[in-house]
């Protein structure tokens, strides 16, 4: 069922969250899925305070106390969109179960796409990108903070493939769960 041409099930909007450590391809997947599904996409990094960005740019990982207001602001945004009947895709690290739980809003059908890959591949990707506040020196802290998702609303995707096959795999997995038409 769709409402205003946006994927929904049981009249609830769909929120697809591409998650994983920095450099795993969350933003690329979230934006590609948004285009493919015809829904808005956005990046959780845009919700970080300038203080948090500066902290990470200086090579220091965020504390849980620094992450919580960031996650809460994302939740509020998701709730606003969902109450408007709008589906979306989101690039969000989702390293901690607690943070994933905060984004499991009752107003939407939530599905996490866990982008998993080996540290060497992700490090190569991080070193190849430019103009990002997250230095590759923080990759180890990302893996240390990661609580590998095992929840029922999580679909694991191997990032050792090009973006188009990855998007196709994600769309097929969403269809199999009856989350998209």
């Amino acid at each position: 069922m769709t409402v205003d041409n946006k994927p929904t099930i049981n009249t609830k909007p769909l929120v697809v969250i591409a998650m994983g450590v920095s450099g795993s391809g969350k933003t690329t997947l979230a934006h590609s899925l948004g285009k493919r599904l015809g829904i808005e996409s956005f990046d959780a990094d845009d919700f970080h305070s300038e203080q948090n960005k500066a902290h990470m740019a200086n090579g220091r990982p965020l504390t849980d106390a620094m992450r919580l207001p960031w996650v809460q602001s994302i939740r509020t945004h998701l709730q606003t969109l969902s109450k408007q009947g709008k589906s979306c895709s989101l690039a969000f690290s989702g390293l901690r179960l607690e943070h994933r739980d905060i984004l499991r809003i009752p107003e939407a059908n939530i599905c996490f796409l866990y982008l998993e890959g080996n540290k060497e591949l992700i490090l190569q990707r991080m070193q190849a990108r430019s103009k990002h506040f997250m230095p590759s020196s923080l990759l180890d802290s990302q893996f240390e903070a990661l609580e590998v998702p095992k929840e029922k609303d999580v679909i694991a995707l191997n990032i050792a493939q090009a973006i188009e096959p990855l998007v196709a795999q994600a769309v097929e997995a969403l269809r199999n769960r009856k989350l998209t038409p």
Side-chain angles (χ1 to χ4, degrees):
M1 172 181 279
T2 61
V3 174
D4 296 327
N5 238 4
K6 309 228 177 0
T8 63
I9 187 169
N10 299 329
T11 69
K12 285 185 178 183
L14 173 64
V15 175
V16 183
I17 302 172
M19 61 153 295
V21 299
S22 185
S24 62
K26 300 179 298 288
T27 301
T28 302
L29 180 62
H31 288 309
S32 296
L33 272 175
K35 286 180 185 174
R36 180 83 167 266
L37 298 174
I39 59 177
E40 180 182 356
S41 62
F42 58 100
D43 194 318
D45 286 346
D46 295 336
F47 290 80
H48 273 301
S49 66
E50 290 305 315
Q51 180 183 6
N52 281 5
K53 287 181 182 180
H55 190 85
M56 290 182 283
N58 287 321
R60 296 178 293 170
L62 296 179
T63 65
D64 283 339
M66 296 170 86
R67 286 185 186 110
L68 192 56
W70 168 63
V71 178
Q72 291 289 359
S73 68
I74 296 166
R75 176 188 171 94
T76 299
H77 186 72
L78 292 178
Q79 287 174 312
T80 298
L81 290 175
S82 295
K83 287 176 183 175
Q84 295 170 355
K86 296 180 181 177
S87 294
C88 67
S89 61
L90 167 69
F92 171 72
S93 56
L95 301 179
R96 302 249 191 244
L97 172 61
E98 174 187 4
H99 299 151
R100 295 190 297 269
D101 284 346
I102 290 170
L103 297 189
R104 287 186 169 97
I105 58 171
E107 297 89 351
N109 290 303
I110 307 292
C111 185
F112 288 86
L113 301 175
Y114 170 46
L115 302 178
E116 58 183 352
N118 68 52
K119 194 180 289 187
E120 293 75 25
L121 174 61
I122 294 171
L123 181 59
Q124 289 173 356
R125 290 180 177 185
M126 288 181 81
Q127 291 172 337
R129 67 186 184 185
S130 62
K131 297 183 181 181
H132 195 279
F133 62 86
M134 176 71 89
S136 58
S137 61
L138 288 180
L139 184 57
D140 285 337
S141 72
Q142 290 271 294
F143 276 100
E144 289 167 12
L146 176 64
E147 295 174 2
V148 176
K150 298 184 185 336
E151 305 93 48
K152 290 180 182 180
D153 60 355
V154 177
I155 298 167
L157 301 172
N158 187 324
I159 65 166
Q161 58 186 313
I163 188 62
E164 284 309 314
L166 192 62
V167 169
Q169 185 180 0
V171 169
E172 184 64 24
L174 292 169
R175 282 190 183 126
N176 289 341
R177 291 186 180 209
K178 299 184 182 355
L179 293 172
T180 62

